[in-house]
Amino acid sequence: MAPVAMSRWTPSLSEARPVSYWLDDPGRPGPEPALTGPETCDLLVVGGGYSGLWTALTAKERDPARDVVLVEGREVGWAASGRNGGFCAASLTHGLPNGLTRWPDEIRTLERLGARNLDAIEETVARHSIDCDFERTGEIDVATAPYQARELGEWYERIRSEGLAEGIEYLDTDAVRDQVDSPTFVAGLYDRRGVAMLNPARLAWGLKRACLELGVRVYEHTPALDLRPHGGGMAVRTPYGAVRARTVALGTNVFPSLVRRVRPYTVPVYDYALMTEPLTGAQLASIGWKNRQGLGDGANQFHYFRLSADNRILWGGYDAIYPYGGRVRAEYDDRPETYARLAGHFFTCFPQLEGVRFTHAWGGAIDTCSRFSAFFGTAHAGRVAYAAGYTGLGVGATRFGAEVMLDLLAGERTERTELEMVRRKPLPFPPEPFAWTGIALTKWSLARADARGGHRNLWLRTMDRLGLGFDS
Ligand SMILES: Cc1cc2nc3c(=O)[nH]c(=O)nc-3n(C[C@H](O)[C@H](O)[C@H](O)COP(=O)(O)OP(=O)(O)OC[C@H]3O[C@@H](n4cnc5c(N)ncnc54)[C@H](O)[C@@H]3O)c2cc1C
């Protein structure tokens, strides 16, 4: 790899450990033993991220007598669920703009189900005493250029006129800077109830503990190697054992699906984040961040940022890297040139914090699908269900996806399974070199739009018309 060009900000990264801050926790629990020998169960859950954990937990909560096994290829929470920004949003549709464009007729139902889902997460965290710093602080989308402020204002008027702006407030320059003071902020939209901040890895570990307490048998370092019909159910091989199950739920996210035909629906897009050292009281006061809400800025290539429980700032986003061939590889998790760029953007946003150092810098793969919100389905005559494609907004929505998978496996028609969003799939990605070329052209066009007052070129307008535009 070519050396990263030195900038004024590179010294701030000199001690940053290339690991997720959340996973670098002395409280990290040890793994459960791997499966050795044969297992049988009613429901086998594959994957120990939020998708799998919520599925196993919810299955037990729906029916405590149900026999549930979860297998995780490495350790619970090691992947996206232990590396994300910890923005736990009510939105099931990668934000209201994305949902309103794609499912205008059912957006009210989706918003209601999403709010209920976030309430249920809050209740579950409390009921199982999951120590994950859950704070329902809300989030501000900030405009950092006059054209973004104009677009934000127009958007606010639209959702207000459609009755979709409950709990959302428009902030002018003074009002947004009164919440968090950056010279780059021009306006904001403050959603006070629809987003919570949490410690992502601790949520995963807490869900694992809750699963174990309810009697789920969890096997870590146990990849499911294949999946085939067996008798009236399914059989899965693992390195040292095998599982026979009546039904199987796949929560395998960006990793190659055990149902091959699902694979073209997602590609890995790598996202990166930095964590600062804890801010002093004076540093925190200099940016006036009192209400602890999360923030995201309004460009196509956007940043997301928030405080941790001990007043560090997590600063992530902007670069979205798709590796040619679409493989998930550990080497992509670390990207010094992106860290340097993110550090520069951080100090542009908060010049008051000059001198602050980053302690952690990391990346992870996001399971991106062409409509940017999860899709669902079944295979093997309804004995296998899957949910994937959360595209960077799965902390909250994976719980909803778990409910959908359980409904589908039960063969039940519910309000969830009747949704068009659940019944219809996104367009799959084409093979290489078309996938790489299309994604590269989209990225280039989005960066150009950001530099040109938001003006979307012909490619982006065509993608928008085809329902493939990134509009969250
Ligand atoms: C840097 C970053 C920042 C993000 N920020 C946010 C955010 O702030 N808010 C938000 O809502 N979302 C965010 N996301 C997305 C969010 O983290 C994911 O949508 C969510 O964690 C997905 O959960 P999951 O369980 O589906 O996937 P994962 O956490 O990836 O879990 C899948 C698990 O399946 C296991 N697995 C795969 N195949 C097999 C197999 N064959 N056998 C056994 N196990 C298998 C893997 O080992 C893995 O542990 C972010 C993602 C990243 C990478």
Side-chain angles (χ1 to χ4, degrees):
M1 188 187 293
V4 176
M6 276 292 284
S7 83
R8 192 169 157 210
W9 309 116
T10 20
S12 66
L13 287 160
S14 64
E15 286 160 27
R17 289 161 53 79
V19 289
S20 159
Y21 166 76
W22 311 112
L23 293 172
D24 189 19
D25 183 335
R28 183 175 182 158
E32 293 299 302
L35 173 65
T36 53
E39 247 296 10
T40 55
C41 59
D42 178 45
L43 170 67
L44 170 66
V45 178
V46 182
Y50 303 138
S51 287
L53 294 161
W54 279 118
T55 307
L57 185 69
T58 310
K60 275 295 202 186
E61 289 185 336
R62 283 190 187 185
D63 176 6
R66 197 162 182 188
D67 194 23
V68 181
V69 165
L70 184 150
V71 293
E72 160 53 46
R74 290 178 59 173
E75 295 190 11
V76 160
W78 76 274
S81 298
R83 299 162 188 239
N84 61 72
F87 286 60
C88 185
S91 175
L92 305 174
T93 59
H94 210 280
L96 188 53
N98 188 48
L100 192 54
T101 307
R102 285 171 176 75
W103 301 288
D105 296 337
E106 59 186 32
I107 192 66
R108 282 178 175 69
T109 310
L110 288 164
E111 289 284 288
R112 174 171 52 74
L113 292 175
R116 206 162 81 191
N117 186 58
L118 182 56
D119 289 345
I121 293 173
E122 185 167 13
E123 280 156 27
T124 310
V125 163
R127 186 157 26 90
H128 290 283
S129 306
I130 296 176
D131 174 20
C132 66
D133 303 323
F134 187 101
E135 298 179 88
R136 194 120 173 204
T137 55
E139 178 180 354
I140 306 180
D141 287 335
V142 290
T144 54
Y147 83 87
Q148 290 172 20
R150 194 183 60 248
E151 286 176 2
L152 216 53
E154 288 165 4
W155 170 249
Y156 179 61
E157 285 313 318
R158 173 165 173 211
I159 57 174
R160 222 157 59 120
S161 68
E162 297 198 23
L164 289 165
E166 199 188 318
I168 299 178
E169 193 184 327
Y170 181 82
L171 307 177
D172 64 16
T173 308
D174 288 345
V176 72
R177 290 190 60 173
D178 191 46
Q179 289 294 331
V180 181
D181 191 14
S182 162
T184 66
F185 294 173
V186 184
L189 267 197
Y190 192 178
D191 178 354
R192 288 181 186 266
R193 289 290 299 159
V195 187
M197 298 297 121
L198 53 75
N199 178 317
R202 288 195 185 177
L203 173 63
W205 299 332
L207 289 172
K208 169 176 132 177
R209 177 179 53 73
C211 283
L212 290 168
E213 284 170 4
L214 293 191
V216 176
R217 300 194 293 289
V218 176
Y219 298 101
E220 293 178 73
H221 295 290
T222 302
L225 302 175
D226 59 16
L227 175 70
R228 60 194 164 76
H230 182 93
M234 299 300 300
V236 158
R237 254 180 343 114
T238 66
Y240 313 116
V243 189
R244 283 191 197 161
R246 196 176 63 79
T247 54
V248 177
L250 300 178
T252 51
N253 192 29
V254 73
F255 301 91
S257 178
L258 292 168
V259 176
R260 284 193 86 84
R261 67 181 151 81
V262 178
R263 294 184 186 177
Y265 288 105
T266 58
V267 292
V269 172
Y270 280 78
D271 185 41
Y272 299 88
L274 307 177
M275 187 66 109
T276 69
E277 60 194 342
L279 301 190
T280 63
Q283 285 166 335
L284 203 55
S286 75
I287 54 173
W289 197 336
K290 298 176 285 286
N291 294 318
R292 304 188 53 77
Q293 63 282 79
L295 290 99
D297 58 34
N300 290 305
Q301 289 189 287
F302 64 94
H303 305 91
Y304 53 90
F305 38 114
R306 56 160 294 188
L307 293 169
S308 66
D310 61 351
N311 291 331
R312 299 162 184 267
I313 297 179
L314 178 144
W315 178 264
Y318 194 81
D319 268 355
I321 305 296
Y322 170 70
Y324 186 92
R327 298 220 164 67
V328 181
R329 293 225 174 102
E331 70 201 70
Y332 302 140
D333 288 347
D334 189 27
R335 201 162 192 275
E337 62 268 49
T338 293
Y339 304 151
R341 185 170 302 126
L342 282 173
H345 296 174
F346 174 85
F347 290 110
T348 304
C349 182
F350 294 125
Q352 308 93 309
L353 297 181
E354 183 163 356
V356 164
R357 302 178 76 83
F358 298 100
T359 58
H360 295 76
W362 70 95
I366 283 184
D367 61 331
T368 303
C369 74
S370 64
R371 72 181 191 199
F372 313 110
S373 55
F375 60 87
F376 314 87
T378 59
H380 296 284
R383 283 172 288 184
V384 176
Y386 54 84
Y390 293 94
T391 318
L393 208 68
V395 175
T398 42
R399 186 191 167 281
F400 173 81
E403 297 257 30
V404 172
M405 284 198 277
L406 293 172
D407 293 348
L408 293 173
L409 289 174
E412 278 171 18
R413 283 173 68 151
T414 63
E415 188 177 31
R416 288 179 285 263
T417 61
E418 293 304 294
L419 291 166
E420 193 192 339
M421 182 206 170
V422 169
R423 285 187 287 109
R424 292 188 63 163
K425 292 224 181 21
L427 281 178
F429 287 92
E432 298 294 12
F434 304 107
W436 190 88
T437 310
I439 293 167
L441 186 55
T442 303
K443 255 195 78 173
W444 177 82
S445 303
L446 289 171
R448 223 169 120 88
D450 286 342
R452 296 180 157 205
H455 177 73
R456 290 170 91 81
N457 64 13
L458 182 61
W459 173 258
L460 291 181
R461 292 200 306 276
T462 308
M463 299 299 274
D464 290 344
R465 268 197 298 277
L466 294 173
L468 302 171
F470 188 74
D471 50 7
S472 292

